[in-house]
Amino acid sequence: MSLDGTYDEANIFAKILRGEVPAAKVFEDEHVFSFMDAFPQSKGHTLVIPKHSRARNYLEEEPQILAPLMLGVQRVARAIRTALKPDGLMISQFNGAPAGQTVFHLHVHIIPRWDGVALGRHGGGMADVNELKALASRIAANIA
Ligand code: 5GP
């Protein structure tokens, strides 16, 4: 999928938001929903998505939705820092399949990094659901 196209209501993140597909929830407010990436590139790889949006990517999003989204990203990133004590944090976001995007509901990745630990493959193996839930609880406990 290129940058152009129409929003697909059946995308996996829309299903997560509607409660049709389970997710290891980290945080939710009126604007954003945050949950563990099921195919993590590092321990604690977390996603933040806008709840009331039909934007496929960053370019399509309304400013009034983008602002609380990025504030939510900072809030969750700070909680990840406190909970998991990473040496660094990648915050990334892909637009269009050639850029690496695979799910077409706007989302931001927060990927904790540790010295000497290589980044896992994008679209790699699926994590254990109970491990994801445990990580989500640890991060959620540190949301300020
Ligand atoms: P993108 O490639 O579009 O930037 O990121 C989509 C992300 O969603 C990927 O990192 C992928 O691992 C994650 N993902 C795909 N399917 C699911 C799912 O069913 N549940 C969760 N929690 N994450 C998913």
Side-chain angles (χ1 to χ4, degrees), residues 3-140:
L3 291 175
D4 301 313
T6 51
Y7 184 82
D8 177 7
E9 302 287 351
N11 78 75
I12 192 74
F13 293 170
K15 289 181 178 176
I16 287 172
L17 283 172
R18 290 195 296 266
E20 296 166 9
V21 168
K25 176 175 149 182
V26 170
F27 172 71
E28 180 175 17
D29 67 11
E30 64 176 300
H31 304 289
V32 303
F33 187 83
S34 176
F35 54 102
M36 305 310 297
D37 195 299
F39 305 87
Q41 289 184 258
S42 78
K43 183 181 85 172
H45 182 168
T46 304
L47 300 168
V48 185
I49 67 176
K51 282 166 68 168
H52 310 293
S53 173
R54 297 180 86 257
R56 299 162 74 248
N57 57 52
Y58 201 84
L59 283 68
E60 291 180 359
E61 193 53 279
E62 306 288 341
Q64 64 270 24
I65 289 182
L66 217 41
L69 171 65
M70 296 316 290
L71 292 173
V73 169
Q74 187 192 55
R75 203 166 170 194
V76 174
R78 285 175 168 169
I80 292 172
R81 182 186 187 187
T82 308
L84 305 183
K85 312 246 178 320
D87 300 312
L89 275 170
M90 280 170 55
I91 295 178
S92 57
Q93 190 277 319
F94 306 138
N95 301 280
Q101 187 175 12
T102 58
V103 178
F104 294 85
H105 177 109
L106 173 61
H107 55 278
V108 178
H109 298 261
I110 306 172
I111 306 180
R113 301 295 306 274
W114 285 266
D115 287 333
V117 180
L119 184 65
R121 194 165 59 84
H122 185 56
M126 191 171 188
D128 177 84
V129 173
N130 290 326
E131 281 177 24
L132 289 185
K133 285 184 181 168
L135 281 165
S137 299
R138 282 173 67 188
I139 298 166

